[in-house]
Amino acid sequence: MSRMQRKMGRFPKSQYSPQVVLLVYHWSSRESEHDLLVHKAVAKWTAEEVVLWLEQLGPWASLYRERFLSERVNGRLLLTLTEEEFSKTPYTIENSSHRRAILMELERVKALGMKPPQNLWEYKAVNPGRSLFLLYALKSSPRLGLLYLYLFDYTDTFLPFIHTICPLQEDSSGEDIVTKLLDLKEPTWKQWREFLVKYSFLPYQLIAEFAWDWLEVHYWTSRFLIINAMLLSVLELFSFWRIWSRSELKTVPQRMWSHFWKVSTQGLFVAMFWPLIPQFVCNCLFYWALYFNPIINIDLVVKELRRLETQVL
């Protein structure tokens, strides 16, 4: 019997069936990436697609759905609308906050020429490589992953992230997450202080807090991320416990440098060969990291607990 057969023999064959079904479900249930608004010029949007864009701004936007449909507002017409027109008949958007939210998002659409990504699936469609990188950074090195976002993706990703996990006190709790992220300012010193403390000691908690705020948008996916973050926090505590119990604290700087070098080298290697990786492989790795890593980490936590029990006995 080969080594691969022995490894597969550890898991019942029935466990593979749900995994395959889940992967097929997500690939079939997701809209084709070419059909997503993030890939379609706004001037080519149909009236139905304009309404879809509007509704994704938040639950409150459904109040104006019928008004836009009755006027058959397509992409070209949407680009011409102004705040004055939104406040009058036939749109009659009397709530000034709603008008500002629509106008701010419309300005972003005009600047980009298409819809900016507003959820995990749209972000993945626009940035397949980066989304996969962030999932593996969650497990391998969340601190370096967040540092990468700060240095190379500050406005589009890091800024929404820090405002979600370290919100300002004056933020309205009644607003949905997408509305809150439409117009973000530079973080205050208080936000930076809170972020740096959590970044240093509780990096996985940052991921869990961010996923928690997206529960309404990604119900099950957010829960997978939260559970995985909790499991990874436990595994990190076990790692520090082993170092402490073996009196190897002096080796921490060397371990950190070795870890930094390893992760950086792997990241550079993947970046060089990424254009050659088929999209199908990217999708497989993405969904595996998203949904099945928590299952693997549960097994790792159980093994660590058993090892700890053996040491105590």
Side-chain angles (χ1 to χ4, degrees):
M1 184 179 293
S2 66
R3 181 180 301 177
M4 181 60 70
Q5 287 174 327
R6 288 197 300 270
K7 287 184 178 179
M8 291 181 65
R10 298 175 187 174
F11 302 95
K13 291 184 179 180
S14 60
Q15 289 187 9
Y16 288 95
S17 179
Q19 296 174 1
V20 174
V21 170
L22 185 58
L23 288 177
V24 172
Y25 166 76
H26 273 284
W27 286 333
S28 61
S29 63
R30 295 290 128 208
E31 292 179 278
S32 171
E33 291 182 356
H34 297 289
D35 295 334
L36 291 169
L37 297 185
V38 292
H39 285 300
K40 190 173 184 179
V42 61
K44 297 181 179 180
W45 289 0
T46 64
E48 290 72 20
E49 288 171 335
V50 168
V51 171
L52 177 62
W53 164 80
L54 179 68
E55 289 180 327
Q56 290 182 0
L57 299 184
W60 52 268
S62 61
L63 297 172
Y64 314 109
R65 182 180 189 279
E66 295 302 324
R67 302 174 195 179
F68 275 74
L69 276 178
S70 63
E71 293 300 311
R72 302 302 297 171
V73 179
N74 60 15
R76 290 185 180 275
L77 180 57
L78 178 67
L79 293 174
T80 66
L81 295 177
T82 63
E83 183 175 8
E84 182 179 358
E85 290 175 289
F86 281 135
S87 61
K88 296 180 179 179
T89 307
Y91 306 104
T92 320
I93 304 177
E94 298 177 352
N95 190 307
S96 59
S97 298
H98 293 178
R99 284 201 308 272
R100 284 200 305 272
I102 293 174
L103 286 169
M104 282 190 294
E105 187 62 13
L106 184 55
E107 289 301 318
R108 294 181 65 195
V109 167
K110 289 180 180 178
L112 293 174
M114 56 189 63
K115 179 183 180 295
Q118 290 179 321
N119 58 57
L120 173 63
W121 310 115
E122 291 181 346
Y123 185 87
K124 174 184 174 294
V126 177
N127 308 288
R130 188 178 298 164
S131 59
L132 180 60
F133 161 78
L134 291 175
L135 279 178
Y136 277 96
L138 165 63
K139 179 177 180 180
S140 301
S141 185
R143 296 174 182 87
L144 290 179
L146 293 176
L147 180 62
Y148 168 86
L149 292 181
Y150 173 77
L151 295 175
F152 301 106
D153 202 7
Y154 180 81
T155 302
D156 293 334
T157 308
F158 183 83
L159 204 57
F161 183 81
I162 190 172
H163 275 285
T164 302
I165 59 175
C166 305
L168 291 170
Q169 290 184 352
E170 57 266 26
D171 281 349
S172 173
S173 58
E175 292 182 341
D176 62 280
I177 182 66
V178 176
T179 305
K180 289 181 181 179
L181 301 181
L182 287 178
D183 185 29
L184 297 177
K185 302 176 182 178
E186 287 296 317
T188 64
W189 283 111
K190 184 178 180 181
Q191 287 177 287
W192 277 115
R193 185 169 62 248
E194 181 183 350
F195 170 77
L196 290 174
V197 171
K198 293 180 179 179
Y199 173 84
S200 301
F201 301 103
L202 299 168
Y204 294 110
Q205 181 178 329
L206 295 179
I207 308 297
E209 289 181 4
F210 184 78
W212 183 266
D213 273 15
W214 285 87
L215 285 174
E216 293 183 358
V217 181
H218 302 294
Y219 184 84
W220 285 111
T221 301
S222 293
R223 280 163 172 75
F224 271 90
L225 288 171
I226 293 169
I227 292 172
N228 200 29
M230 293 170 59
L231 293 169
L232 290 169
S233 295
V234 173
L235 290 173
E236 186 173 86
L237 287 174
F238 276 125
S239 298
F240 282 115
W241 171 255
R242 281 199 302 271
I243 294 174
W244 175 269
S245 61
R246 296 173 183 174
S247 301
E248 297 177 349
L249 289 177
K250 293 181 180 180
T251 66
V252 170
Q254 181 182 355
R255 290 171 182 265
M256 292 177 62
W257 170 251
S258 176
H259 172 74
F260 173 78
W261 178 255
K262 177 183 177 182
V263 173
S264 301
T265 304
Q266 289 177 346
L268 180 61
F269 180 81
V270 173
M272 291 173 59
F273 290 94
W274 181 256
L276 304 177
I277 301 176
Q279 184 64 37
F280 172 77
V281 176
C282 173
N283 286 333
C284 287
L285 294 174
F286 178 85
Y287 289 114
W288 181 270
L290 186 62
Y291 293 115
F292 303 134
N293 262 344
I295 301 173
I296 297 172
N297 289 331
I298 290 175
D299 183 59
L300 292 176
V301 169
V302 171
K303 288 180 178 178
E304 290 290 344
L305 289 172
R306 289 177 178 174
R307 185 181 305 169
L308 186 61
E309 289 177 359
T310 303
Q311 292 176 353
V312 172
L313 294 176

